[in-house]
């Protein structure tokens, strides 16, 4: 299992909608609006790195209002 | 009360309009055009962090010509 | 109460130590190593924005191995 | 007369000191701590762009605790 | 007189056109395509900082194919 | 002969298509999807720096789904 | 098995040494100097994301002359 | 022959020295202080991309006061 933070920049005026919509995607465990360079911080999990990539590109990035995402896999060092 | 600087990147050719329009929003106390990575520097105040977030997303980002905003809350350390 | 994500860049080779040390600071509720532009993602809470600023500058930034932090307050839009 | 915002990144743990010290420099009219990618937002004025450059490089950057500054001259478009 | 470098990011596929078009604007003394984070490096001059700001926002940014510009005034320190 | 890495940011939801399409361009020797600030990492070669610039602007940037490219020529120091 | 590109920023004047030293680390399959925002592009592989994180933090970042690394895991979308 | 702009970030307080010193390096044709995200803009030329890389890493980066350089080769598209 791989877990990751996904830092989302939304289109202007869409932060609230995006946080609500992304929270309903399977594999997403947390989605919150923030201020600063990113607009929504998401926590998600998937079976492996490839599944995580598909979750981001095929599911999260297909929502309306997403401008850019930055995936940060959690590692146990 | 929370105060913040909001650093705005406008769409090309729109810096002057945006500074004028954003200055009329309630809670905005200052709005000036600048050169560099940002196009307009705004100073605003709101009752708390949530109200500040709403001011940015629901009011400022709904103006024409805004590409991206970066909110920097002022803190007393 | 204000909650925030704090995205930390560590000095080279220090990500593991920083995650362990920051997790012991009062107000920090989560601290995990990640790959990408940031090295550690922290979740913290404080009474208000000023207290959050002090937590970051006076406590987290005083740990060994921290190069730069980026505080992203959570907002309810 | 040229006015500018100067966005300062401080060394870790030094934001409070820097804001206090920079406020005492002649030509600086405002200096406040913020959270986000920058740590201190300064407003300053100088006779022309060259004098502004000297104010930043010879005065502000010589303070202890400054990591990087970003000067954004105010323009009337 | 104020001189500046203006670092331009173009829309995809437009770097060549932009360099040619921007070179014909009054006040622009040099415009070249580059590789890296920027696509075109321009050198321009104007009477003062305000006129430089107007040159960028009202003339350069109105060309087709410009995504973002970054103005860096030259200073004599 | 000049070789380069080209770091591509795609439009949302398009990373897989872009990697497949770019791999078919003459001069491209490798194209892979990645997570993080970039979406596709490409390796390409051309006769000289000018030809490399044309490969990027006239061929790669003309594909659907490309938001931004960053060319990093390989050097033998 | 997880593969990744690791984009390295070196301390000034150290790009050549870093590329040579990092090439000798087990798991690194390629290391080349580049110009642009990064100085060395590395390709590496590890058993899983955690092992990749350890390779970067415990091995690559312990070399002399490394200022910052950015790990981009390769994904099959 | 390859020409390039080299965008330099200096250590704090060192912009003036760096511009003077870098101007004396063989192959450098122009060096000016600027305000904004970079501190000195340099124009240089070398026989090919490899020689340009060596000029930057072995000569320019060995000057005192340089924090980071960004090389942008000029291309004729």
């Amino acid at each position: 299992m791989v877990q990751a933070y996904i830092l989302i920049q939304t289109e202007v005026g869409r932060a609230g909608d995006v946080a609500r919509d992304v929270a309903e995607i399977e594999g997403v465990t947390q989605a919150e609006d923030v201020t600063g360079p990113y607009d929504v911080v998401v926590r998600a999990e998937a079976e492996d790195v490839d599944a995580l990539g598909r979750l981001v590109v095929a599911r999260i990035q297909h929502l309306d209002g997403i401008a850019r995402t930055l995936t940060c896999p959690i590692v146990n060092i």
Side-chain angles (χ1 to χ4, degrees), chain A:
Chain A
M1 205 58 140
V2 174
Q3 290 186 301
Y5 284 102
I6 302 159
L7 311 174
I8 298 179
Q9 295 182 321
T10 68
E11 294 170 8
V12 287
R14 302 299 301 275
D17 304 339
V18 166
R20 269 186 294 277
D21 291 350
V22 81
E24 293 175 13
I25 293 177
E26 194 187 331
V28 170
T29 55
Q30 209 170 37
E32 289 161 306
D33 289 297
V34 295
T35 71
Y38 308 103
D39 303 306
V40 180
V41 173
V42 171
R43 190 175 172 134
E45 60 185 19
E47 206 183 343
D48 55 24
V49 171
D50 291 347
L52 179 65
R54 283 190 296 267
L55 170 65
V56 172
V57 173
R59 303 296 311 277
I60 294 177
Q61 292 190 356
H62 275 213
L63 294 177
D64 279 349
I66 305 256
R68 178 105 203 121
T69 68
L70 172 54
T71 303
C72 304
I74 295 172
V75 293
N76 298 296
I77 297 179

